Structure formats: structure tokens, C-alpha cells
Amino acid sequence: MEFMPVRALFDSHMHTPLCKHAHGEPEDYAARALEQGLQGIIFTCHSPMPAGFWPQVRMSEAEFDVYVAMVDRCHDAFVGELEVRLGIESDYFPGYEGWIEKLHQRAEFHHCLGSVHWQGPEYGAKFNLQDETAFRKIYWDNLAASAETGLFDTLAHPDLIKNYRAATWCFEVCRDDLAAALDRIAQAGVAMELNTSGLHKKFSEMNPGPQMLRMMSERNIPVVIGSDSHVARRVGEGFVIALESLRDAGYTAVSVFKKRKRSEIPISMALASLLLRAGESIQQSASLT
Ligand SMILES: [Zn+2]
Ligand SMILES: [Zn+2]
């Protein structure tokens, strides 16, 4: 199917300076999204967590209202040009489910990402970071458990574990544990993310990589696309390649959330929409492969 280029695609994962490791105002991210030919963006900054939980990488609880106001301000500034939606990237950590549940009721979120951030000090302390095999197994189990909480719309960067001791990462060794986790995730009916920031991480590949995308596709797990931008220039980065790899994995549509309800955009339409970036898509495709 051929589509005339119209703005159709969202970047569903990006940050604000409140998480202490992102730069630039939301309006800078929105301006970049317009240049990239996107229809909209969803801010999903790192959730506050109960006192003392890895505070260096997230907004404090006191800043939560500031965050909502900041995204509202950006929304209002771009009305009629770009849809700006409020979301959040919440940590999944066993024992904190009740706290996250309440947090997600504190604002009208469009998209709640759930993340197993194994790099966090609390995670490493609770699970044995030294036993490589066991640690990876536990990650897959936690990923599935995060889906089963029902707290999240989408599981963010779902193979982030490949950056733990990246030199010894082997997809085939993990395949059975991953398959079991994906069965549980498909059963839970939760979407998963294709996160293009993986290209800049230790194991340089999008999250997830092509083998895992294929396994997700076989289970009909919906996919949301996100850049996980911590700087404005990364908004929409790698989206042509991401859409092509989704198509190669067997997908025909990409998902986006509004008021926490999922809808789908055909991949052909999404790809056509990126032609609005003044011919940039072809160059990007060539330089990132
Ligand atoms: Zn994350
Ligand atoms: Zn993020």
C-alpha cells in the first residue's frame, strides 16, 4: 500500500532536565520533532521513587507537579502543529508496585512505560550481580513480572540486559529464558518498545535486536517506537531503520498510546510520513547501518 506523506508517527519516549541527566527544554524536543516530520511526541521522564531509591537519575517527588506543568506548557506552545502528550517512565522494582500504582493516578498520563533498570544500585544489591547467568535469567523474569503487574502500557528497552557485561552477551544462550518471558508478556497483553538509543550503548544495537523482534512478532506483541532522547537532536533518530527492522520481523503496524489506549499506524504510512524530513531519511538509513 502506498501513502502520501502526512504526519503520522509519534516518538513515544523522551526526557526532560528534571531527571538530572537530560538536557534542553521540552520545546527544543518538540521543535526537533517537527523537523523530523513527526505528528507528535510523548514525554516519559524518569518517575519519582520512594525516598532514597537511586535519586541521582530522576525527578524528586516534589518536582512531579513541575514536570506535569512543563509538559503542559510545551503542549500549549505547539497546539495545531505537534501533539505533545504526557507520559512517564516508571521503574519496575519488586515491592514498589503499590507506590507506582498511586503515582500513575496522580496525572492524566497518555503512556506509562515500565523499565527494568538493572544498572540501578538497588537492583544490583537485591539480585546477585556477580553470577552472570543467574543475573540475566532474573532480568527476563523481572521483565515478564513487570508486564504482569498491569501497571504499564509498554515495556521500555526490553533487552537492556545485553549491556550488562556486553562483551559476553550471547543471544542464543538467553533464547529459552526470553521465550518464556515473551509468552508471559503476550499473555499480559502489554506492548513493548523498539528503542533506537541502543545504538549509542555498550552493546551497539537497538533495544531489542532483530532476533528478539522476530520472537515478539510471532507472539503478536504490539510495538511502540521511541528514541529515549536525553537531548533534543536525538528525537526521531533512527526511525527509518527501526520501521524497516519491524517490517523485516513481520510487523505491519506500529503502535502509539493516547489516554493509555493503544492505536496502530501502518508501517507503510509511517515510513511515507518520514519523507517529510526533506530527503533526510535516505541519508540516515545509509549512515547508521
Ligand atoms: Zn530507561
Ligand atoms: Zn528513558
Side-chain angles (χ1 to χ4, degrees):
M1 231 186 312
E2 293 295 323
F3 293 97
M4 289 297 290
V6 286
R7 291 182 184 273
L9 195 55
F10 277 71
D11 184 336
S12 298
H13 186 163
M14 63 191 63
H15 292 273
T16 76
L18 290 173
C19 69
K20 309 178 183 78
H21 61 288
H23 308 275
E25 292 303 312
E27 288 80 359
D28 303 334
Y29 290 57
R32 180 64 177 155
L34 276 178
E35 285 172 12
Q36 292 281 54
L38 299 179
Q39 184 185 343
I41 52 175
I42 310 182
F43 286 96
T44 50
C45 210
H46 293 287
S47 64
M49 288 289 273
F53 187 100
W54 203 12
Q56 300 88 342
V57 297
R58 62 187 68 257
M59 67 184 88
S60 68
E61 204 174 344
E63 287 168 323
F64 182 78
D65 293 342
V66 177
Y67 172 58
V68 174
M70 192 183 257
V71 177
D72 270 355
R73 181 191 74 199
C74 182
H75 169 274
D76 293 350
F78 283 83
V79 165
E81 289 186 280
L82 185 80
E83 288 186 40
V84 177
R85 297 180 185 166
L86 176 72
I88 194 127
E89 177 176 6
S90 295
D91 281 62
Y92 169 72
F93 193 76
Y96 288 76
E97 295 87 344
W99 201 89
I100 294 293
E101 187 178 2
K102 287 199 188 78
L103 177 74
H104 288 181
Q105 289 161 0
R106 279 179 61 180
E108 293 236 9
F109 289 114
H110 288 282
H111 189 211
C112 294
L113 287 170
S115 294
V116 180
H117 287 128
W118 63 264
Q119 324 91 306
E122 289 80 3
Y123 196 92
K126 185 176 173 74
F127 304 107
N128 183 0
L129 197 58
Q130 301 314 318
D131 183 339
E132 210 169 89
T133 310
F135 191 68
R136 289 185 178 125
K137 238 181 195 325
I138 283 163
Y139 173 85
W140 298 121
D141 183 53
N142 276 323
L143 188 73
S146 74
E148 288 164 346
T149 62
L151 292 170
F152 309 112
D153 304 316
T154 302
L155 308 186
H157 42 58
D159 67 349
L160 197 62
I161 192 66
K162 69 189 172 192
N163 294 299
Y164 156 80
R165 300 190 183 172
T168 62
W169 165 253
C170 172
F171 180 82
E172 288 307 325
V173 170
C174 287
R175 184 183 281 274
D176 290 348
D177 294 327
L178 169 61
L182 290 178
D183 287 343
R184 289 166 63 189
I185 293 163
Q187 181 70 30
V190 175
M192 296 173 88
E193 179 186 49
L194 177 53
N195 183 311
T196 64
S197 75
L199 292 169
H200 302 288
K201 296 193 169 141
K202 266 190 204 154
F203 194 96
S204 179
E205 182 185 73
M206 290 187 188
N207 304 99
Q211 304 102 319
M212 181 165 158
L213 268 187
R214 166 66 61 178
M215 291 169 75
M216 287 156 53
S217 164
E218 286 163 2
R219 289 163 178 79
N220 294 315
I221 297 172
V223 170
V224 167
I225 190 170
S227 66
D228 204 350
S229 290
H230 288 69
V231 287
R233 69 176 148 72
R234 284 206 58 254
V235 172
E237 186 184 70
F239 275 23
V240 172
I241 297 166
L243 290 165
E244 287 170 351
S245 58
L246 272 181
R247 199 174 51 190
D248 292 346
Y251 283 96
T252 56
V254 60
S255 291
V256 65
F257 281 85
K258 184 175 191 177
K259 297 185 176 171
R260 308 202 61 188
K261 295 269 178 284
R262 189 176 66 84
S263 61
E264 293 191 335
I265 304 153
I267 288 178
S268 337
M269 184 193 262
L271 277 168
S273 77
L274 292 180
L275 295 174
L276 290 168
R277 298 186 306 187
E280 190 194 341
S281 56
I282 296 159
Q283 287 168 16
Q284 185 187 37
S285 197
S287 65
L288 283 178
T289 43

